[in-house]
Amino acid sequence: MVDNAYLDWPFLEDSHRALAAELETWAATHVAGVHGLDVDADCRRLVRHLGDAGWLRHAVGGTPWGHADTIDTRAICLARQILAYHNGLADFAFAMQGLGSGAISLQGTAEQKERYLPRVARGEAIAAFALSEPEAGSDVGAMQCAARIEGEHAVIDGEKTWISNGGIADFYVVFCRTGEAPGSRGISAFVVEAGTPGLEIAERIDVIAPHPLARLRFRDCRVPLAQRLGAPGEGFKLAMRTLDVFRTSVAAAALGFARRALDEALAHATQRKMFGQALADFQLTQAKLAQMATTVDSAALLVWRAAWLRDQGRTITKEAAMAKLAATEGAQQVIDAAVQLHGGLGVKQGVAVESLYREIRALRIYEGATEVQQLIVGRELLKEMRA
């Protein structure tokens, strides 16, 4: 059962409804159950499939390579929700193409966009977003990776870690301290091609839901200044603008995982026989299912509000944080309940809810942990009150 009632909500337009119907059909055929022993190969294959089918055009902004002149937040959220419902790695492959190239879509020169975005949209080049460091995750202002300017080049030294697509990306958008001002005001962004001398994959990182991740090391890595995105010292603002788009889509992915868990729970509860009746006939089961469904729809309203507001040109710092907070925490609760309803089967490797249990955990951390979202919402509320 796929509940598409949300498509009738006023946050979405007819073009989004058409996109959802088409992608739902495609995903059910092409990505459901795509998991092998080689996560790198699986990810590359999914990126290419998504590109060949035209879906990655929704992850980048600008024409003719993108779907529209600007990034359509609701289209990205729809794609992530639907892909996450069917396959967590497919969602990852789509999302990282968008996040990895998002700074180029938002701030790249015409030449930079022409060089990278068409290949990203076709699935011919894999993108990565390199912001986090061993001592600078949630606290981006503590960044230590630095670039010094030598003539027409920036020379980068330092490390980045927890980098999605690390090790398989064709290029990385790297944020470095360039020192124009203290703290976050002295950070710039550069596009660094894989294979650039001085860039190495220091470590591949294995996590509970297999995705390509790595720690990067830069040693006298020389990058042409023409590869800088935006103005010197404006990298932090660019990173936050990029995250404002894709933070809402993390919430949408969590929503996809939660919807799948609810559907799996409903199917299991109606089929499982206990004490002469179906598991679904017990009032305790019905109460749990009711709470799961309410949590899903509550999160969905916040997700689509945030996406709609951004597509209207509004700043959504608070709304995106609320959506990510509610959707990721809610999805964890829904998936845990689905595992519990499955009993022992729920922790058997290969069962859908077991996979979902591993997939959801990281979403409560990356692109701003739950605690950071709480701080953002509180800060924004106080800012509004004082204004």
Side-chain angles (χ1 to χ4, degrees):
M1 182 186 96
V2 178
D3 183 2
N4 290 327
Y6 71 94
L7 292 173
D8 292 328
W9 293 355
F11 297 116
L12 298 171
E13 300 173 10
D14 287 344
S15 60
H16 297 119
R17 298 180 184 99
L19 166 65
E22 189 177 354
L23 180 54
E24 179 65 47
T25 300
W26 183 87
T29 304
H30 291 85
V31 305
V34 176
H35 278 297
L37 298 177
D38 188 336
V39 68
D40 287 359
D42 288 344
C43 196
R44 288 190 182 98
R45 183 165 62 252
L46 284 165
V47 168
R48 197 56 191 258
H49 285 343
L50 289 163
D52 288 344
W55 302 119
L56 292 178
R57 294 182 63 226
H58 294 279
V60 301
T63 51
W65 45 80
H67 180 73
D69 287 338
T70 58
I71 294 175
D72 185 332
T73 314
R74 287 170 291 175
I76 290 175
C77 287
L78 277 171
R80 291 204 65 180
Q81 177 183 286
I82 292 167
L83 290 170
Y85 182 97
H86 290 283
N87 185 310
L89 191 59
D91 163 62
F92 173 92
F94 175 89
M96 291 307 118
Q97 288 296 91
L99 180 63
S101 66
I104 302 174
S105 292
L106 291 170
Q107 200 67 49
T109 64
E111 292 78 12
Q112 290 166 341
K113 290 178 179 180
E114 181 65 37
R115 181 174 183 179
Y116 294 106
L117 296 183
R119 292 189 294 139
V120 170
R122 293 193 297 263
E124 296 170 359
I126 294 178
F129 182 83
L131 181 65
S132 296
E133 296 183 7
E135 300 299 327
S138 298
D139 182 9
V140 177
M143 182 181 298
Q144 296 299 310
C145 184
R148 65 184 187 273
I149 307 303
E150 293 185 356
E152 294 301 312
H153 288 80
V155 183
I156 304 173
D157 287 284
E159 289 193 354
K160 295 291 177 181
T161 194
W162 303 111
I163 305 307
S164 295
N165 281 339
I168 69 168
D170 294 288
F171 67 87
Y172 300 84
V173 173
V174 181
F175 296 84
C176 317
R177 183 165 299 287
T178 44
E180 288 80 7
S184 61
R185 293 177 296 161
I187 293 171
S188 300
F190 299 89
V191 182
V192 182
E193 304 254 358
T196 301
L199 165 60
E200 63 178 286
I201 306 303
E203 176 190 13
R204 292 300 301 270
I205 303 172
D206 295 323
V207 290
I208 57 175
H211 298 118
L213 286 168
R215 176 166 57 90
L216 312 180
R217 181 180 294 126
F218 298 86
R219 290 176 173 167
D220 289 327
C221 181
R222 298 180 65 84
V223 180
L225 286 181
Q227 294 290 87
R228 183 170 52 206
L229 294 169
E234 294 293 317
F236 178 80
K237 291 181 181 179
L238 178 56
M240 294 305 104
R241 287 177 61 204
T242 306
L243 290 173
D244 264 356
V245 177
F246 290 94
R247 182 169 286 150
T248 306
S249 81
V250 177
L255 197 55
F257 291 142
R259 288 191 187 281
R260 177 64 181 271
L262 176 58
D263 284 354
E264 293 290 335
L266 285 165
H268 180 75
T270 53
Q271 296 166 10
R272 178 77 163 98
K273 302 299 181 183
M274 295 181 65
F275 305 106
Q277 62 182 343
L279 177 61
D281 293 330
F282 290 92
Q283 287 185 330
L284 278 174
T285 302
Q286 293 169 17
K288 190 177 289 290
L289 291 170
Q291 183 59 57
M292 294 163 72
T294 302
T295 299
V296 168
D297 273 10
S298 298
L301 286 164
L302 289 173
V303 170
W304 297 116
R305 179 188 70 166
W308 178 82
L309 283 172
R310 188 189 178 281
D311 285 343
Q312 309 314 303
R314 298 272 294 276
T315 299
I316 60 163
T317 303
K318 180 183 72 176
E319 291 80 5
M322 283 182 169
K324 184 178 186 295
L325 168 63
T328 57
E329 291 293 325
Q332 181 79 71
Q333 295 166 16
V334 169
I335 293 167
D336 185 75
V339 170
Q340 193 73 10
L341 283 170
H342 276 70
L345 191 62
V347 293
K348 181 181 178 182
Q349 191 170 11
V351 173
V353 292
E354 180 270 342
S355 176
L356 290 166
Y357 194 84
R358 288 184 286 107
E359 290 283 1
I360 189 55
R361 191 59 186 85
L363 272 68
R364 294 168 59 202
I365 298 173
Y366 76 68
E367 291 193 39
T370 291
E371 293 75 15
V372 172
Q373 306 311 316
Q374 292 171 326
L375 291 173
I376 291 171
V377 173
R379 181 193 67 202
E380 293 299 310
L381 287 171
L382 290 170
K383 187 187 298 184
E384 291 170 4
M385 186 273 291
R386 289 164 179 158

